[in-house]
Amino acid sequence: NAGVTQTPKFQVLKTGQSMTLQCAQDMNHEYMSWYRQDPGMGLRLIHYSVGAGITDQGEVPNGYNVSRSTTEDFPLRLLSAAPSQTSVYFCASSYSGDPEAFFGQGTRLTVV
Amino acid sequence: DQQVKQNSPSLSVQEGRISILNCDYTNSMFDYFLWYKKYPAEGPTFLISISSIKDKNEDGRFTVFLNKSAKHLSLHIVPSQPGDSAVYFCAASAGRTSYDKVIFGPGTSLSVIP
């Protein structure tokens, strides 16, 4: 099993550009989520999904969109990148009954 | 205002000694707590958890202690090994399912010196 796979690992964007961070898991987990990690802030929840077709906002959802058309994939879209979105992004998944999550390796995004 | 606090950004410990990482929380609704370990350029990995019905949970060299009245938990690593050098995140949730939002602390960077 590959676990949770995120692509790309690194990305530089110009302000105003859009992009999609990809996340896929092969563990048949119902629950998937996106976090961002900033210095001194820990991991903050952006959006999450409890199953295909169901998504909801986390703590810091502004500037990000998500959709969940399949159990395996949970992409995160930045519609118009801003320097404040410079961060490391982690995708995670878990069984519906467990809060213990499996994380991807992360995407380091820089917006200039 | 951070609901989960790890007031020590970093900690250095000699190999073989005990490492104690502390975590405080403010939300009295939190009843499930987790510790994650993160190496550079990798995602966090789950380490150990504890429910509020317990005050201690042990897994090999790792023990988590929970003091509900003080809203405080700690992770003990005995003995510490160089491979334990990583960032440790404390996390808390109000419920024990994945649907309950998990709040993370800012992390403590542990260095175990050979």
Side-chain angles (χ1 to χ4, degrees):
Chain A
N1 285 351
V4 179
T5 302
Q6 288 183 236
T7 55
K9 286 189 171 53
F10 301 94
Q11 183 70 50
V12 178
L13 286 180
K14 293 183 178 179
T15 297
Q17 286 186 316
S18 62
M19 81 159 294
T20 299
L21 307 186
Q22 301 291 345
C23 177
Q25 53 92 8
D26 60 0
M27 297 173 281
N28 204 31
H29 287 166
E30 290 185 358
Y31 185 86
M32 296 186 73
S33 54
W34 277 101
Y35 290 87
R36 58 178 288 173
Q37 183 194 2
D38 301 293
M41 301 293 289
L43 294 158
R44 292 183 293 169
L45 183 64
I46 304 171
H47 284 286
Y48 65 99
S49 168
V50 300
I54 307 169
T55 63
D56 204 348
Q57 296 182 351
E59 186 183 354
V60 288
N62 291 342
Y64 307 95
N65 276 357
V66 293
S67 60
R68 183 100 179 268
S69 56
T70 67
T71 300
E72 295 78 20
D73 300 297
F74 190 43
L76 178 72
R77 297 184 189 84
L78 283 72
L79 300 177
S80 179
S84 60
Q85 293 178 305
T86 293
S87 187
V88 181
Y89 292 84
F90 290 100
C91 177
S93 72
S94 60
Y95 292 110
S96 61
D98 288 330
E100 296 90 356
F102 294 79
F103 282 82
Q105 286 196 317
T107 296
R108 182 174 293 274
L109 175 68
T110 302
V111 183
V112 297
Chain B
D1 189 30
Q2 286 186 339
Q3 297 186 64
V4 178
K5 302 177 184 181
Q6 294 177 258
N7 292 323
S8 298
S10 62
L11 177 67
S12 287
V13 172
Q14 208 72 27
E15 181 180 3
R17 299 287 189 101
I18 183 171
S19 295
I20 300 176
L21 293 89
N22 293 305
C23 177
D24 297 288
Y25 60 97
T26 58
N27 189 339
S28 58
M29 297 299 291
F30 288 149
D31 61 1
Y32 195 74
F33 306 90
L34 310 95
W35 285 93
Y36 283 85
K37 176 179 179 178
K38 183 185 178 305
Y39 292 119
E42 294 184 11
T45 55
F46 170 72
L47 188 58
I48 193 169
S49 62
I50 188 167
S51 166
S52 61
I53 62 173
K54 294 185 175 183
D55 54 17
K56 175 182 173 182
N57 190 26
E58 203 169 343
D59 184 1
R61 295 186 297 113
F62 302 90
T63 303
V64 58
F65 295 92
L66 175 63
N67 182 334
K68 291 185 289 294
S69 61
K71 295 192 179 68
H72 176 83
L73 62 155
S74 60
L75 175 68
H76 292 212
I77 306 173
V78 184
S80 300
Q81 299 174 354
D84 297 328
S85 297
V87 176
Y88 290 80
F89 291 100
C90 172
S93 71
R96 207 224 164 278
T97 75
S98 58
Y99 304 135
D100 301 299
K101 294 176 188 176
V102 177
I103 306 297
F104 284 81
T108 295
S109 178
L110 173 66
S111 296
V112 180
I113 304 161

